Amino acid sequence: MNTFCNGIRKHTVVRLGRPAAAAALAAGLALTGVTAANAASAATATATAGGTFGPFGYGGVQLGMTLKQAEATNKIVKTPYRGYTCSGWALKAHPPGRDSVGLYISKKLGVAAIFAPKGVKTPEGIGIGSTMKQVRKAYPQLDTTGNYPVAAVPGNPKAMFAFLSNHGKVYEMSLGLVNQDCTN
């Protein structure tokens, strides 16, 4: 978890669960510079890939969609989680389990963070079960200064991937807006 005090980034070690993974997405700056044409091309590639996690969304739900747009996809279902600025949802095709959230929708920003279900991979080939060595190879600019590594999303400068690992293997990963306001 990153906090700022007098302009200095401080890190606090805390054992956190699934909702905190999205917090990592706000911990860095987008490191890629991509033209609108490249972003549109990446979005088209993602849409045709089917099982690709990112760069703009997953399972028919895109980062930045309003609540109304996300509901209109008929691919999400409400979860009991209700925060001050965001609500918790799940992808119907990939229920996250009891007391878990599959994605967050911000009142201000729309879809702010999506958690990867097992079996999906980023366009760079990273998924649940990948080693951190593979993550570092796929994302050479990986920021490991916080409690969990984060990486800029190639093709989408407004998004970050966050990776939670145990014993050197990814057990959870999320895609979220860099400026998301759903978790701290």
Side-chain angles (χ1 to χ4, degrees):
M1 175 183 339
N2 294 315
T3 58
F4 289 86
C5 181
N6 296 328
I8 299 171
R9 187 160 120 179
K10 296 183 176 188
H11 304 283
T12 306
V13 177
V14 179
R15 172 96 170 122
L16 301 171
R18 176 174 272 252
L25 302 173
L29 299 173
L31 301 173
T32 59
V34 178
T35 66
N38 288 344
S41 172
T44 301
T46 298
T48 59
T52 304
F53 187 70
F56 294 91
Y58 177 74
V61 179
Q62 302 290 308
L63 292 175
M65 278 184 163
T66 65
L67 173 59
K68 187 175 181 179
Q69 290 170 326
E71 285 181 312
T73 68
N74 201 31
K75 295 180 183 277
I76 63 171
V77 61
K78 185 88 172 89
T79 66
Y81 175 84
R82 185 175 300 274
Y84 179 71
T85 59
C86 300
S87 54
W89 295 79
L91 291 167
K92 287 181 181 179
H94 303 283
R98 184 180 168 116
D99 299 325
S100 293
V101 173
L103 62 108
Y104 285 104
I105 300 180
S106 163
K107 292 177 186 176
K108 179 180 173 184
L109 303 170
V111 176
I114 305 170
F115 292 91
K118 289 181 181 177
V120 302
K121 294 189 179 207
T122 69
E124 296 73 33
I126 302 301
I128 306 299
S130 293
T131 66
M132 287 309 295
K133 183 177 180 179
Q134 292 169 318
V135 172
R136 282 188 282 282
K137 184 175 180 183
Y139 304 102
Q141 299 295 324
L142 187 70
D143 180 355
T144 59
T145 60
N147 287 327
Y148 22 83
V150 296
V153 176
N156 186 355
K158 294 181 179 182
M160 299 290 287
F161 285 124
F163 304 96
L164 295 179
S165 65
N166 189 20
H167 301 294
K169 289 199 173 189
V170 175
Y171 70 88
E172 187 167 86
M173 130 181 124
S174 63
L175 168 70
L177 297 172
V178 171
N179 64 338
Q180 63 86 19
D181 59 353
C182 294
T183 62
N184 55 2

